[in-house]
């Protein structure tokens, strides 16, 4: 049995569920919004096994048969979204997330990816320092809430700078233009990450275990491109 | 401030439509895998930038943006994840207690 934690409206969860169905694999999709409202998760974990059960619509599924789990909680609604009207009271979004995260962190089954592992992605700057430690260069990066320093970084990088939020929230990356400079005082209330804009080819490398799936943005009709850059 | 000074300008990718399969030099591929393993993130997405003289890593995400990949590639990536969950690929670099000693 495979557990999927997330919402079916999430494309990654949906694609994975579809492929597992095609493979006739047994899996259970648990949307954290259901927790407390017809779905309950109870467990005990030790270093070698997990004991407990998942209750759903009056059925009890033992967790001892679960061999792996995949989680993607980005689509879990905010606390206010979880409030139903006249329905069984679901756990608040925060409570549901804590419940799922603590289960995934303690259970000894294969978990892709454990909350503690992905926690590093809640910082935009920390991974860059890890990347640097592994010998990969990163573009020059400035983090500041001082407008003058933001302006200085803009000039230092030859006026080729992109900016994005410093928080873990996804933000739209934009090129800093001359017309944006008048808004620089706004960084006083919002520490911002500015990064040297590097012209080149964007490559997304999907890592799945020991398998790599490099991808590039390409025009239709040119599905396979050889990347010959020297690392 | 941290980071390296960049190379001279390189040609931009223009008029793109979706993400398609590509290939990486062996050295870069190995280093990418090593980075994933050291971060204990066997399922992740690396955003690379191939400049004229250097390869930069811009960001790490724990989730592949499958919706933007062309269909065949998306299926292959999803299948790889499904096979791992099914236990078909035992040699994954996880550091959980259940996996210790199996690598």
């Amino acid at each position: 049995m495979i557990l999927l934690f997330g919402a079916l409206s999430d494309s990654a969860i949906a694609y994975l569920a579809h492929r597992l169905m095609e493979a006739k694999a047994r899996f259970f999709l648990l949307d954290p919004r259901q927790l407390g409202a017809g779905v309950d998760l109870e467990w005990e974990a030790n270093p070698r096994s997990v004991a407990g059960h998942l209750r759903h619509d009056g059925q009890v599924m033992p967790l001892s048969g679960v061999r792996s789990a995949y989680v993607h909680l980005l689509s879990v609604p905010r606390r206010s979204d979880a409030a139903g009207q006249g329905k069984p009271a679901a756990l608040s979004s925060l409570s549901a997330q804590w419940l799922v995260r603590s289960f995934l962190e303690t259970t000894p089954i294969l978990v892709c990816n454990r909350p503690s592992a992905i926690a590093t992605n809640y910082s935009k700057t920390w991974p860059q320092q890890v990347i640097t430690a592994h010998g990969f260069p990163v573009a020059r990066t400035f983090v500041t809430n001082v407008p003058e320093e933001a302006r200085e970084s803009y000039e230092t990088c030859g006026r080729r700078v992109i900016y994005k939020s410093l928080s873990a929230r996804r933000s739209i990356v934009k090129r800093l233009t001359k017309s944006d400079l008048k808004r620089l005082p706004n960084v006083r209330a919002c520490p911002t990450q500015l990064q040297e804009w590097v012209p080149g080819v964007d490559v997304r490398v999907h890592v799945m275990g020991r398998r790599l799936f490099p991808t590039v943005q390409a025009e239709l009709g040119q599905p396979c491109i050889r990347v010959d850059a020297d690392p | 401030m941290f980071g390296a000074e960049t190379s001279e300008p390189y040609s931009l990718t223009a008029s793109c439509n979706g993400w398609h399969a590509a290939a990486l030099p062996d050295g870069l591929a190995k280093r990418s895998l090593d980075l994933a393993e050291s971060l204990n993130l066997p399922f992740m997405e690396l955003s690379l930038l191939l400049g004229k003289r250097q390869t930069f890593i811009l960001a790490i995400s724990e989730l592949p943006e499958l919706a933007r990949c062309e269909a065949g590639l998306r299926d292959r990536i999803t299948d790889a994840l499904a096979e791992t969950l099914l236990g078909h690929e035992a040699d994954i670099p996880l550091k959980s207690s259940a996996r210790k000693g199996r690598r």
Side-chain angles (χ1 to χ4, degrees):
Chain A
M1 174 66 73
I2 299 168
L3 287 181
L4 305 183
F5 289 90
L8 198 55
S9 57
D10 179 321
S11 61
I13 292 286
Y15 289 131
L16 181 57
H18 180 247
R19 301 304 284 183
L20 289 174
M21 280 192 288
E22 286 196 335
K24 295 183 170 32
R26 291 183 67 224
F27 71 95
F28 186 90
L29 173 63
L30 198 163
D31 186 331
R33 290 173 295 189
Q34 298 173 301
L35 286 170
V39 179
D40 292 299
L41 177 65
E42 297 177 9
W43 81 96
E44 291 180 4
N46 63 52
R48 287 185 299 277
S49 65
V50 59
H53 51 261
L54 191 61
R55 296 181 191 274
H56 178 249
D57 288 341
Q59 298 183 15
V60 179
M61 184 181 79
L63 293 176
S64 56
V66 176
R67 63 194 301 179
S68 57
Y70 178 79
V71 58
H72 185 216
L73 298 178
L74 293 180
S75 298
V76 173
R78 296 175 183 173
R79 181 192 293 260
S80 58
D81 300 332
Q85 294 182 347
K87 298 177 181 177
L91 298 182
S92 71
S93 174
L94 195 59
S95 298
Q97 288 212 33
W98 276 113
L99 180 62
V100 171
R101 286 177 199 275
S102 58
F103 169 72
L104 293 171
E105 196 58 49
T106 54
T107 184
I109 63 174
L110 169 65
V111 177
C112 319
N113 293 305
R114 283 186 194 275
S116 58
I118 64 174
T120 55
N121 282 336
Y122 288 95
S123 164
K124 280 200 170 73
T125 53
W126 190 85
Q128 286 191 305
Q129 296 173 64
V130 175
I131 291 165
T132 303
H134 280 79
F136 283 104
V138 299
R140 280 188 289 183
T141 303
F142 304 83
V143 177
T144 185
N145 65 344
V146 180
E148 293 76 17
E149 291 185 358
R151 176 61 186 257
E152 186 180 341
S153 66
Y154 174 71
E155 298 294 343
T156 300
C157 294
R159 300 185 176 182
R160 300 189 307 176
V161 168
I162 59 92
Y163 64 97
K164 54 188 172 183
S165 74
L166 188 59
S167 75
R169 297 239 177 221
R170 291 194 169 192
S171 63
I172 298 173
V173 179
K174 291 183 177 176
R175 179 95 182 259
L176 186 65
T177 64
K178 191 175 180 180
S179 62
D180 293 322
L181 297 179
K182 60 181 178 295
R183 297 192 296 122
L184 281 183
N186 291 347
V187 303
R188 289 188 195 284
C190 181
T192 302
Q193 178 168 303
L194 301 103
Q195 201 165 42
E196 181 176 16
W197 175 69
V198 183
V201 178
D202 287 317
V203 178
R204 295 282 178 88
V205 182
H206 304 291
V207 181
M208 293 287 160
R210 296 299 296 178
R211 284 180 273 185
L212 288 179
F213 297 88
T215 65
V216 295
Q217 286 188 310
E219 294 182 33
L220 291 176
Q222 297 181 345
C224 187
I225 294 174
R226 178 77 198 180
V227 178
D228 288 320
D230 180 1
Chain B
M1 191 278 284
F2 53 93
E5 289 196 31
T6 59
S7 59
E8 60 193 62
Y10 187 70
S11 61
L12 278 171
T13 308
S15 59
C16 297
N17 192 344
W19 292 88
H20 296 252
L24 283 181
D26 290 343
L28 184 56
K30 183 181 184 310
R31 292 169 70 197
S32 297
L33 286 173
D34 290 345
L35 177 61
E37 183 164 8
S38 68
L39 289 170
N40 198 18
L41 283 173
F43 307 92
M44 69 172 195
E45 178 189 279
L46 283 173
S47 294
L48 306 185
L49 184 81
L50 303 185
K52 189 173 181 179
R53 297 176 182 171
Q54 297 184 88
T55 298
F56 296 85
I57 295 186
L58 301 180
I60 295 171
S61 170
E62 75 276 14
L63 184 82
E65 292 189 28
L66 298 177
R68 297 175 64 191
C69 292
E70 54 96 8
L73 176 64
R74 185 174 63 218
D75 289 346
R76 288 197 296 279
I77 296 172
T78 312
D79 283 346
L81 177 55
E83 287 169 14
T84 303
L85 290 166
L86 286 164
H88 293 168
E89 187 182 355
D91 188 27
I92 60 171
L94 272 183
K95 295 177 181 175
S96 71
S97 56
R99 288 278 168 180
K100 280 181 178 174
R102 295 181 57 178
R103 291 166 46 204

